[in-house]
Amino acid sequence: MAAPLVSPSILSADFARLGEEVRAIDEAGADWIHVDVMDGHFVPNITIGPDVVKALRPHSAKTFDVHLMISPVDPYLEAFAGAGSDIITIHPEAGPHAHRTVQAIKALGKQAGISLNPATPAKMLDYLIEEIDLVLVMSVNPGFGGQSFISSQLRKIEAVRKMIDKTGRDIWLEVDGGVNPETARLCIEAGADVLVAGSATFKGGPECYAANIAALKGSG
Ligand code: DX5
Ligand code: ZN
């Protein structure tokens, strides 16, 4: 089985040293940098905005995988695109017109992702999958790092894998929440190819990041 890409969530980084933390995970072998944006409305937590994404941009040339947990989302797409996001992922529940939001992300020249909450069925993708570059299966309820993996989401990963394969297009299948070396293996077996990991990447501090990322890739 191919090694997955690892996209560390900087939600678990030391926010007082965010630039250094991004450089450290970049050097430790992170494939992408996962940025969790929360608004205290769509999810019960508040994190960072486009100015922070912009400030972090010079610290890594890797793909900025920006996960927007905000509602409304449309008014902020331009700011996140301009700040240097490469992939912009939204939740279909964040607004009434997910298809239009996807078009708007693509019109800004960015890759578009759709994120499915644990209770949201794979079927939600039926009329979006042809348009998108990434599907993000949430394996925790969004809002906080450090939660436990919800096993029922493995079935959803399998279902989404089938849907993606049917399109014949290259669409990333990413999993986010409670990913550690054990659950990572289950996600990969179910068909995931990108793993988001906050706690499992940042635990132990900078000297552990390379080993933590290798363990998630199954080569630790
Ligand atoms: C949750 C976020 C996740 C989270 C993952 O709302 O989208 O990216 O930070 O954290 P861990 O890996 O600690 O579950
Ligand atoms: Zn996330």
Side-chain angles (χ1 to χ4, degrees), residues 130-154:
E130 293 294 339
E131 313 291 334
I132 59 180
D133 303 289
L134 177 144
V135 177
L136 174 53
V137 174
M138 290 300 307
S139 38
V140 298
N141 285 294
F144 303 96
Q147 302 181 78
S148 299
F149 187 86
I150 302 172
S151 307
S152 60
Q153 301 308 302
L154 291 168

Side-chain angles (χ1 to χ4, degrees), residues 110-131:
K110 305 300 177 181
Q111 295 186 64
I114 287 286
S115 179
L116 303 177
N117 278 335
T120 305
K123 216 175 162 29
M124 171 65 87
L125 297 169
D126 277 359
Y127 299 97
L128 287 167
I129 197 140
E130 293 294 339
E131 313 291 334

Side-chain angles (χ1 to χ4, degrees), residues 62-78:
K62 293 191 172 157
T63 295
F64 272 27
D65 168 30
V66 176
H67 179 191
L68 299 182
M69 289 160 273
I70 62 175
S71 174
V73 63
D74 292 355
Y76 301 100
L77 296 175
E78 206 174 327

Side-chain angles (χ1 to χ4, degrees), residues 9 11 34 36 38 67 69 138 142-146 176-178 196-199:
S9 163
L11 191 57
H34 187 82
D36 285 309
M38 305 184 185
H67 179 191
M69 289 160 273
M138 290 300 307
F144 303 96
D176 186 2
V196 175
S199 334

